[in-house]
Amino acid sequence: MKKTILLTGGAGYIGSHTAVALIESGYDVVIADNLCNSSKQAVERVGKITGTTPKFYEIDVRDKESLSKVFEENNIDSVIHFAGLKAVGESVKKPVAYYRNNLDATLTLLECMEKGNCNNIVFSSSATVYGEENPIPYEETMPRGACSSPYGWTKAFTEQILIDASKADPELSVVLLRYFNPIGAHSSGLIGEDPNGIPNNLMPYISQVAVGKRDSLTVFGGDYDTPDGTCRRDFIHVCDLAEGHVKAVGYCEEHKGSEIFNLGTGTPYSVLEIINAFEKVNDIKINYTIGNRREGDLPQFWANAEKAQNILGWSAKKTIDDMCKDTWKWQSTNPDGYEK
């Protein structure tokens, strides 16, 4: 009998790609999403890719009555928790909204999981929890640091909530996945990153400049102590990231307590290296200027991903060229993203 995985926020960028990977691995998928920063079309396109459209609930995960109904109507074996507000800059301007939304969603979910007798949860965390003090590369044994934004703190607080919950309930299995910098899109070009308004992340901004939606890209800072003066990050293909979730669900089903895994490549690339790779692979020129540093940006960080490889049997496979090529296929065939 197939196992059923609930994806909160599953219509979003990472959630939709994870839905594809789970279905292709033999799982049934249920998605709960309020579509505040996503599109139902992503769910429908998951169906086009896999031949199986996930069951979909348009609900706010913070709504306990609605979420309880999802558990009542489905035999949920595990949850992957993506739902949450995610813009770093916006979180600085609206900290209360971020704390209220992201923490309430987690607490409501845990209460509904307990009532629905579901004991497995994989959480979509972030490398931002390492803060500014830890040396690079980041390793899971390092303490959580001083996060640079309320968004980061919501990830750190949620990790602690889940760890404490697993200590209190010996049946609860928690896996915390700390992402680095997801980019790219499914190779079909059917699903990809479709941010609302002006993109906060590098790759969708590059691709929107490439497609003519934006005039130019501003690179935030060219005077960092890095080889070319621009920030360096651990960019990972979203499909590799999705496969990491499949491995994490399998691990979660077999173990109790809590465990943390980095999902990254272990290789940093600078902003200029990404721009140059995008231009080369797709034979297109990107207009950009070097601007001032952006508050909260660290010069560089990347993952030590050995633990995920050793325990989960997972490692990133796709190259930076794959990330650039797949991003452009998505953006060029969907210049305005999903139909609004």
Side-chain angles (χ1 to χ4, degrees), residues 9-30:
Y13 174 45
I14 300 172
S16 58
H17 287 81
T18 300
V20 170
L22 286 165
I23 292 168
E24 290 179 342
S25 297
Y27 290 97
D28 281 332
V29 171
V30 175

Side-chain angles (χ1 to χ4, degrees), residues 144-158:
R144 288 191 295 267
C147 299
S148 58
S149 69
Y151 160 77
W153 280 115
T154 68
K155 293 297 188 183
F157 291 154
T158 298

Side-chain angles (χ1 to χ4, degrees), residues 256-289:
K256 300 301 179 185
S258 61
E259 201 68 73
I260 302 168
F261 296 99
N262 287 337
L263 294 185
T265 68
T267 301
Y269 287 91
S270 73
V271 173
L272 290 183
E273 285 176 318
I274 294 294
I275 293 172
N276 292 336
F278 191 96
E279 290 181 328
K280 181 180 178 181
V281 169
N282 299 308
D283 192 24
I284 192 166
K285 182 66 177 174
I286 302 299
N287 295 321
Y288 71 89
T289 58

